[in-house]
Amino acid sequence: MTPESKAVHSHARPKYVGREGAGFSSAVRQRVDQYFRESGLPRRGGREIRTKTVVLFALYIGSYLLLLSNWFTPGGTLLVALAFGALNVLLVFNVAHDAAHNALFNDRRLNRLLTYTFNLVGANAYLWDITHNQIHHAYPNVGDYDGDIHQQAPLIRVSPTVPRRWYHRFQPFYAPLAYMTYSLYLVFVKDYQDIGILPKQGSRLLEGRDHSRWRYVEFILWKAGYYGLTVVVPFLVLDVTWLQFLMGFLIVHAFMSLLLSVVLVPVHMVDEAPFDIVTEEGTIEEGWFIHVFKNTNDYSRNSRLANLLFGGLNTHLVHHLFPSVCHAHYIALSDILEEAAREYDIPYRAVTMPRAVASHFRLLARMGR
C-alpha cells in the first residue's frame, strides 16, 4: 500500500466486497433463529446468568475484604491476592464482556451499568466499546485496523503489516515473558494510548479520533479510583514490607496476564488464520461472514467448565457471529455452526486448548522467519 493510498482511506471504514458464502450465512442465521424459537429460551439473561453474576461480584468483594483483613501470613495474603486477581479476570470474561454487547440481560440499562465492570477492574468501558465492539468485531485479523493483533508490536509480530525485525526470530522464546506483562499493559498503558494521551499505531480507525472533554475527566477519575483500590489502599493497610508488596503486586499481575493471554490469544492469532489486508481502494476481498470463519478459532468447544469460567470466549466463532447472544447458548449454537459448515464445505476449526496454544506459537515462529 502506497503512502498516498494510506492517506486516502486511513480513517475510512474498509468495506467487505466478497459475495461468497451468502447462502451459508443465511442458513446459519435461520438455524440459530429456529433454535431459539423451538427451545423457547431467551437470547439474553436467564437464571444461570443472574446467579453467576451475583456470585462473581460477591466473591470479588469478599476476596478484597479478606485481602485487607491482615488475618494471614504474607504467603497466605498472596494466595488471597491471586484469588482477587482471578476474579477481576472472571468478571471481565463473564459479566463486562457480555454486558458491553448488550447480551447479558434484556434490560439495556442494566447491561450499560454492568459494562462499567471494565472500569472497576482497571480498563475503560467507553474505550472498550470503540476498540472491541466497533473495530475488532468488524475487522478481526485485518492488518492496520484490528488493534488486537498490534497490541504488543513491535516486540511481538503476528500481523503481516508489522515490519519484521531481526529479533522476531526469537519471539517464540520471549513471548511468554511478554505475555506475563499483559494485564499491566492493559491498565497502565493501553487505555492511555487508545484515548490519545500516549502515542500508538495499532488501528487507523483510532488515529486522530476526537473525545469529549468529559470523556477525559471520566477516564482519569476511573483510573484514579482503580489505582486507589488496588494499589494505595492495600499498600497502606497490609502488614507487609514495601518489597513484599511490590513482589506480590507483580506476581498477581503476571498470573492475571497469563490467564488473559491463554484464553484470548488463541482465538484469532493462530497459524491457520490467513489474516487479511485492506486494498488500496479500501476494500477487503471477501465477505465478512467468511472472513470471520477463517480468522476465528474455537477450542474446548464442548467443555461446560470452559464455558462457565471463560464466559464462552473459547467458543469464539459464535460470539463474533452473534455477539448479542448470551454466552450461555454458545455450546449449543457452536453445534449448529459445525453442522452447517460441514454441509457447505466451509472450514471450521475446533481444537483442544493445548493445540490452540501450540498453533499460536507456530504462528510466532512463522512470522519471525
Short mmCIF file of all heavy atoms in Angstrom, two decimals, residues 2 8 12 114 126 144 166 181-182 193 254 263 267 272 306-307 329 332 340 357 366:
data_model
loop_
_atom_site.label_atom_id
_atom_site.label_comp_id
_atom_site.label_asym_id
_atom_site.label_seq_id
_atom_site.Cartn_x
_atom_site.Cartn_y
_atom_site.Cartn_z
N THR A 2 0.61 2.16 -0.89
CA THR A 2 1.43 3.35 -1.02
C THR A 2 1.08 4.36 0.05
O THR A 2 -0.02 4.35 0.60
CB THR A 2 1.20 4.00 -2.40
OG1 THR A 2 -0.17 4.44 -2.46
CG2 THR A 2 1.47 3.03 -3.52
N VAL A 8 -5.44 8.39 1.82
CA VAL A 8 -6.78 8.49 1.28
C VAL A 8 -7.81 7.86 2.20
O VAL A 8 -8.86 8.43 2.48
CB VAL A 8 -6.84 7.83 -0.12
CG1 VAL A 8 -8.29 7.66 -0.57
CG2 VAL A 8 -6.07 8.66 -1.12
N ALA A 12 -11.11 5.92 6.94
CA ALA A 12 -12.35 5.38 6.40
C ALA A 12 -12.51 3.93 6.83
O ALA A 12 -11.54 3.23 7.08
CB ALA A 12 -12.33 5.48 4.88
N LEU A 114 -23.60 -2.60 34.02
CA LEU A 114 -22.62 -3.67 34.25
C LEU A 114 -21.42 -3.56 33.31
O LEU A 114 -20.38 -4.16 33.58
CB LEU A 114 -23.29 -5.03 34.10
CG LEU A 114 -24.27 -5.37 35.23
CD1 LEU A 114 -25.03 -6.65 34.93
CD2 LEU A 114 -23.52 -5.50 36.55
N TYR A 126 -15.90 2.84 27.90
CA TYR A 126 -16.06 3.68 26.71
C TYR A 126 -15.06 3.30 25.62
O TYR A 126 -15.42 3.14 24.45
CB TYR A 126 -15.89 5.14 27.11
CG TYR A 126 -15.67 6.10 25.97
CD1 TYR A 126 -16.69 6.40 25.07
CD2 TYR A 126 -14.43 6.73 25.79
CE1 TYR A 126 -16.48 7.27 24.02
CE2 TYR A 126 -14.22 7.61 24.76
CZ TYR A 126 -15.24 7.88 23.86
OH TYR A 126 -15.04 8.75 22.82
N ASP A 144 -3.48 -3.42 10.27
CA ASP A 144 -3.56 -1.96 10.38
C ASP A 144 -4.91 -1.47 10.88
O ASP A 144 -5.10 -0.26 11.06
CB ASP A 144 -3.23 -1.25 9.06
CG ASP A 144 -1.76 -1.38 8.69
OD1 ASP A 144 -0.95 -1.56 9.61
OD2 ASP A 144 -1.45 -1.31 7.49
N TRP A 166 15.00 -8.25 13.26
CA TRP A 166 15.88 -9.39 13.46
C TRP A 166 15.51 -10.20 14.71
O TRP A 166 15.64 -11.43 14.73
CB TRP A 166 17.34 -8.92 13.56
CG TRP A 166 17.61 -8.04 14.77
CD1 TRP A 166 17.53 -6.68 14.83
CD2 TRP A 166 17.95 -8.48 16.08
NE1 TRP A 166 17.82 -6.23 16.09
CE2 TRP A 166 18.09 -7.31 16.89
CE3 TRP A 166 18.17 -9.73 16.67
CZ2 TRP A 166 18.43 -7.37 18.24
CZ3 TRP A 166 18.51 -9.79 18.01
CH2 TRP A 166 18.64 -8.63 18.78
N THR A 181 3.21 -9.67 31.18
CA THR A 181 3.01 -8.24 31.49
C THR A 181 1.72 -7.71 30.90
O THR A 181 1.46 -6.51 30.94
CB THR A 181 4.19 -7.40 30.96
OG1 THR A 181 4.17 -7.42 29.51
CG2 THR A 181 5.52 -7.94 31.45
N TYR A 182 0.88 -8.59 30.35
CA TYR A 182 -0.28 -8.17 29.58
C TYR A 182 -1.26 -7.33 30.39
O TYR A 182 -1.72 -6.27 29.95
CB TYR A 182 -0.98 -9.41 29.01
CG TYR A 182 -2.11 -9.12 28.06
CD1 TYR A 182 -2.02 -8.11 27.11
CD2 TYR A 182 -3.28 -9.87 28.09
CE1 TYR A 182 -3.04 -7.85 26.23
CE2 TYR A 182 -4.32 -9.63 27.22
CZ TYR A 182 -4.20 -8.62 26.29
OH TYR A 182 -5.23 -8.37 25.43
N GLN A 193 -3.13 4.97 25.50
CA GLN A 193 -2.86 5.02 24.06
C GLN A 193 -4.16 5.18 23.28
O GLN A 193 -4.24 5.99 22.35
CB GLN A 193 -2.14 3.75 23.61
CG GLN A 193 -0.73 3.59 24.16
CD GLN A 193 -0.10 2.28 23.73
OE1 GLN A 193 -0.77 1.26 23.61
NE2 GLN A 193 1.22 2.30 23.54
N ALA A 254 1.23 -10.95 36.88
CA ALA A 254 1.75 -11.99 35.99
C ALA A 254 0.74 -13.13 35.87
O ALA A 254 0.50 -13.65 34.77
CB ALA A 254 3.08 -12.51 36.51
N VAL A 263 -6.41 -17.52 27.38
CA VAL A 263 -7.81 -17.58 26.95
C VAL A 263 -8.03 -16.78 25.67
O VAL A 263 -8.71 -17.24 24.75
CB VAL A 263 -8.74 -17.05 28.06
CG1 VAL A 263 -10.18 -16.93 27.55
CG2 VAL A 263 -8.70 -17.98 29.26
N VAL A 267 -7.68 -17.43 20.12
CA VAL A 267 -8.96 -17.40 19.42
C VAL A 267 -8.86 -16.75 18.04
O VAL A 267 -9.73 -16.97 17.18
CB VAL A 267 -10.05 -16.69 20.26
CG1 VAL A 267 -10.31 -17.46 21.54
CG2 VAL A 267 -9.68 -15.25 20.56
N GLU A 272 -3.22 -21.15 11.50
CA GLU A 272 -4.15 -21.45 10.41
C GLU A 272 -4.91 -20.22 9.91
O GLU A 272 -5.48 -20.24 8.83
CB GLU A 272 -5.16 -22.51 10.86
CG GLU A 272 -4.56 -23.87 11.15
CD GLU A 272 -3.94 -23.97 12.52
OE1 GLU A 272 -4.04 -22.98 13.29
OE2 GLU A 272 -3.36 -25.01 12.85
N ALA A 306 -15.19 -24.81 30.69
CA ALA A 306 -14.59 -23.68 29.97
C ALA A 306 -15.62 -22.59 29.72
O ALA A 306 -15.34 -21.40 29.86
CB ALA A 306 -13.98 -24.15 28.66
N ASN A 307 -16.85 -22.99 29.37
CA ASN A 307 -17.91 -22.00 29.15
C ASN A 307 -18.23 -21.26 30.43
O ASN A 307 -18.44 -20.04 30.44
CB ASN A 307 -19.16 -22.70 28.61
CG ASN A 307 -20.30 -21.74 28.34
OD1 ASN A 307 -21.12 -21.47 29.20
ND2 ASN A 307 -20.34 -21.21 27.13
N HIS A 329 -25.55 -19.82 25.66
CA HIS A 329 -26.02 -20.59 24.50
C HIS A 329 -24.89 -21.01 23.56
O HIS A 329 -25.17 -21.66 22.53
CB HIS A 329 -27.03 -19.76 23.70
CG HIS A 329 -28.22 -19.32 24.49
ND1 HIS A 329 -29.18 -20.19 24.97
CD2 HIS A 329 -28.59 -18.08 24.93
CE1 HIS A 329 -30.09 -19.51 25.63
NE2 HIS A 329 -29.77 -18.23 25.63
N ALA A 332 -24.43 -24.87 22.42
CA ALA A 332 -25.49 -25.34 21.53
C ALA A 332 -25.38 -24.71 20.15
O ALA A 332 -25.54 -25.38 19.12
CB ALA A 332 -26.86 -25.05 22.15
N ALA A 340 -23.61 -26.82 9.91
CA ALA A 340 -23.80 -26.03 8.69
C ALA A 340 -22.50 -25.90 7.91
O ALA A 340 -22.50 -25.99 6.67
CB ALA A 340 -24.33 -24.64 9.05
N VAL A 357 -3.02 -23.26 21.71
CA VAL A 357 -1.83 -22.55 22.17
C VAL A 357 -0.63 -22.92 21.30
O VAL A 357 0.17 -22.05 20.91
CB VAL A 357 -1.56 -22.87 23.65
CG1 VAL A 357 -0.23 -22.27 24.09
CG2 VAL A 357 -2.70 -22.34 24.52
N ARG A 366 6.58 -18.67 12.51
CA ARG A 366 6.48 -18.35 11.09
C ARG A 366 6.63 -16.85 10.85
O ARG A 366 7.33 -16.42 9.92
CB ARG A 366 5.15 -18.85 10.54
CG ARG A 366 4.93 -18.53 9.07
CD ARG A 366 3.77 -19.32 8.50
NE ARG A 366 2.52 -19.05 9.17
CZ ARG A 366 1.73 -18.01 8.85
NH1 ARG A 366 2.08 -17.17 7.90
NH2 ARG A 366 0.58 -17.84 9.50
#
